[in-house]
Amino acid sequence: QKEVEQNSGPLSVPEGAIASLNCTYSDRVSQSFFWYRQYSGKSPELIMSIYSNGDKEDGRFTAQLNKASQYVSLLIRDSQPSDSATYLCAVYSNFGNEKLTFGTGTRLTIIP
Amino acid sequence: GAGVSQSPSNKVTEKGKDVELRCDPISGHTALYWYRQSLGQGLEFLIYFQGNSAPDKSGLPSDRFSAERTGGSVSTLTIQRTQQEDSAVYLCASSAGYEQYFGPGTRLTVT
């Protein structure tokens, strides 16, 4: 089982709709969770971090964390063509392995 | 403020040659990471520096790969006797806590 799993996609969403990106992780002691956006040919850009259960909103982005289910998601409201990118989920464990573990990413395409 | 910078942005080298890739982290960030990303693939962790502690080298794929971090700031990743499978984008990231910020990467092509 991979440590951080994401559906590779591609996920196609009409412009203006809500895009929902999901991520599950295997290390129960993980404490910090991140979403990165990576445009083709560019490096990953941090767009959201979440540390406690529940929702965290930042503009059109909402991160949701459920530690009991070991699940973290990213919702993008009012999707725009500029949101088309690969979204990487990353998980950090404070115990022993002090580095981020990345999922392989979900490729999102917003259809105008 | 200035972000993470990397140089060169592109490097083409012949098989068997040595290459050095440089990373300048964000000022004040104590942690520095190197990753590798092959075409269409995920991020592969290579090495991690935290302050003055011994680096975590657990991700280095072979003894041809090494890295240094001088003065707790600039880092150099060295690949000796490059092979074609070393072709990838090499990404550096730095952090002051849990959030990592990436540089633009160095695209390495081994011919």
Side-chain angles (χ1 to χ4, degrees):
Chain A
Q1 181 187 6
K2 292 181 181 176
E3 294 181 54
V4 179
E5 292 207 46
Q6 296 181 253
N7 189 324
S8 63
L11 175 65
S12 296
V13 172
E15 182 176 356
I18 296 175
S20 178
L21 304 163
N22 305 315
C23 172
T24 58
Y25 59 95
S26 61
D27 188 351
R28 190 167 283 280
V29 300
S30 299
Q31 297 193 345
S32 308
F33 308 85
F34 307 90
W35 284 99
Y36 285 81
R37 178 176 62 198
Q38 187 172 25
Y39 292 116
S40 181
K42 301 294 186 182
S43 61
E45 173 192 7
L46 178 65
I47 56 172
M48 288 288 283
S49 57
I50 186 165
Y51 302 98
S52 55
N53 279 328
D55 294 0
K56 179 182 177 183
E57 187 174 319
D58 183 1
R60 295 185 298 109
F61 298 97
T62 299
Q64 299 175 317
L65 175 61
N66 184 327
K67 290 186 179 180
S69 300
Q70 295 175 235
Y71 176 93
V72 58
S73 65
L74 179 71
L75 302 178
I76 307 174
R77 289 183 302 281
D78 188 23
S79 297
Q80 303 296 309
S82 59
D83 296 326
S84 296
T86 295
Y87 289 80
L88 303 171
C89 173
V91 174
Y92 182 91
S93 173
N94 298 52
F95 300 96
N97 184 14
E98 294 182 350
K99 53 181 179 278
L100 281 182
T101 301
F102 286 84
T104 53
T106 297
R107 186 154 57 93
L108 174 66
T109 300
I110 305 302
I111 303 168
Chain B
V4 178
S5 61
Q6 292 186 245
S7 61
S9 55
N10 281 284
K11 176 71 177 180
V12 180
T13 190
E14 292 180 353
K15 178 182 173 180
K17 295 285 180 67
D18 298 352
V19 295
E20 286 189 350
L21 311 180
R22 176 187 167 104
C23 172
D24 276 279
I26 294 171
S27 177
H29 281 193
T30 57
L32 187 148
Y33 304 78
W34 284 98
Y35 297 89
R36 178 169 71 174
Q37 189 172 36
S38 300
L39 188 63
Q41 301 300 308
L43 287 167
E44 176 187 5
F45 166 78
L46 297 177
I47 189 169
Y48 158 48
F49 296 89
Q50 174 59 274
N52 294 321
S53 301
D56 176 352
K57 304 180 182 180
S58 60
L60 294 178
S62 78
D63 58 8
R64 296 187 296 105
F65 288 72
S66 62
E68 290 185 340
R69 188 178 185 192
T70 54
S73 182
V74 171
S75 177
T76 302
L77 176 69
T78 301
I79 308 173
Q80 296 179 310
R81 306 180 302 281
T82 52
Q83 304 295 313
Q84 288 189 329
E85 61 263 28
D86 299 335
S87 295
V89 175
Y90 289 80
L91 292 160
C92 174
S94 71
S95 73
Y98 302 139
E99 299 178 349
Q100 293 185 22
Y101 297 90
F102 284 84
T106 294
R107 182 175 299 276
L108 175 66
T109 303
V110 182
T111 61

